[in-house]
Amino acid sequence: MTMCDKAQELLRNMKSTAAARYNASKRLEGRERSLIRLTGFTSAYLIGLTVLPYFIDLPVGAADRMNLLTFALGVIILVASLIQYSARDGINAEQHYRCGLEISEMRRRLKITAKAATDEELLEIGDAYALILQKYSINHDQVDFDQYRMERKEEARKFNFIERTAISLRIGIVRHLASIMLLTVSLLLAWLIFAIIAPAWQLSAVAPV
């Protein structure tokens, strides 16, 4: 392997790592925002269901269903809050972004001198590259690297149809899991309102005083 080949291989490694770190940063920022939305809306739903019995007399079966949904909302809020607190997505996203910036800057400098770089210079750059990875000890997930490969046509061609579908599905789930949960909770609440609460409201409105 010639000097130029070694430099090109190091450049490719830097490019893929920096791109994966940027993807990880965006993913974690998105997950943090989604968890905040999930916690906020679910908390509002929980408060609404808690005060509802003071305004509407619900049948026993309807009240039981509402209590079950209230319990489920409380569990969702607890789990989402614990994940948000323990994951530290905002901090980790910043770390990934800074790591990507430093690697990209080092790669830019190497591209300028790649053709004339000596073994010693490449070894020095490789050591500096390793120090950056050690400095930002958190690593990106496989889904971040897979996203980078899927976004590059020459890399995506290496996957067959089943692999591309599985990777796309995994990326979508990782990105939108909290939003999917919020949509599910909202649909359950809508069902509770139209199927149970609204009929009970109408009955209470026409009931004789």
Side-chain angles (χ1 to χ4, degrees), residues 180-209:
I180 293 172
M181 292 181 62
L182 178 57
L183 177 61
T184 302
V185 170
S186 299
L187 291 175
L188 286 174
L189 184 63
W191 168 79
L192 182 67
I193 292 174
F194 289 106
I196 298 176
I197 297 177
W201 184 290
Q202 293 175 358
L203 288 176
S204 62
V206 300
V209 179

Side-chain angles (χ1 to χ4, degrees), residues 2 8 29 67-68 94 107 132 171 174 182 201:
T2 64
Q8 291 301 320
E29 287 178 349
N67 291 335
L68 181 60
E94 179 68 18
R107 182 174 182 275
I132 293 177
I171 292 174
V174 169
L182 178 57
W201 184 290

Side-chain angles (χ1 to χ4, degrees), residues 3-178:
M3 288 299 114
C4 186
D5 291 336
K6 293 179 181 179
Q8 291 301 320
E9 182 180 3
L10 184 56
L11 285 171
R12 285 193 295 270
N13 290 336
M14 288 181 175
K15 183 178 181 179
S16 62
T17 302
R21 295 299 168 95
Y22 288 138
N23 290 338
S25 177
K26 294 179 181 178
R27 174 178 57 82
L28 294 177
E29 287 178 349
R31 186 171 71 176
E32 184 178 45
R33 289 193 298 268
S34 297
L35 287 174
I36 291 174
R37 285 195 299 267
L38 176 62
T39 305
F41 278 99
T42 306
S43 299
Y45 296 159
L46 182 60
I47 294 172
L49 292 178
T50 302
V51 302
L52 187 63
Y54 294 100
F55 300 96
I56 303 176
D57 291 329
L58 296 174
V60 177
D64 291 339
R65 294 186 183 92
M66 191 185 71
N67 291 335
L68 181 60
L69 181 57
T70 301
F71 173 77
L73 294 179
V75 173
I76 291 174
I77 293 172
L78 176 62
V79 173
S81 299
L82 289 176
I83 293 175
Q84 186 178 353
Y85 175 77
S86 61
R88 303 191 308 166
D89 287 337
I91 297 175
N92 291 338
E94 179 68 18
Q95 293 293 306
H96 281 306
Y97 184 74
R98 290 180 179 274
C99 180
L101 284 179
E102 292 192 22
I103 294 175
S104 296
E105 176 61 20
M106 179 175 292
R107 182 174 182 275
R108 184 188 66 81
R109 294 180 180 179
L110 177 58
K111 285 180 67 176
I112 297 175
T113 60
K115 294 182 179 180
T118 64
D119 262 339
E120 291 76 11
E121 290 173 338
L122 290 179
L123 182 60
E124 182 179 349
I125 294 174
D127 290 340
Y129 174 49
L131 286 176
I132 293 177
L133 297 180
Q134 293 174 9
K135 175 182 176 182
Y136 302 97
S137 56
I138 56 173
N139 197 8
H140 55 265
D141 289 348
Q142 181 63 36
V143 68
D144 303 313
F145 181 68
D146 288 341
Q147 181 181 348
Y148 160 76
R149 298 183 67 187
M150 289 291 290
E151 291 171 349
R152 294 172 56 84
K153 293 182 179 179
E154 61 272 21
E155 292 288 337
R157 293 194 190 101
K158 298 178 182 178
F159 298 114
N160 58 41
F161 175 77
I162 296 178
E163 290 173 334
R164 287 197 299 269
T165 303
I167 291 174
S168 299
L169 182 62
R170 186 165 64 249
I171 292 174
I173 291 175
V174 169
R175 280 183 175 182
H176 305 296
L177 180 59

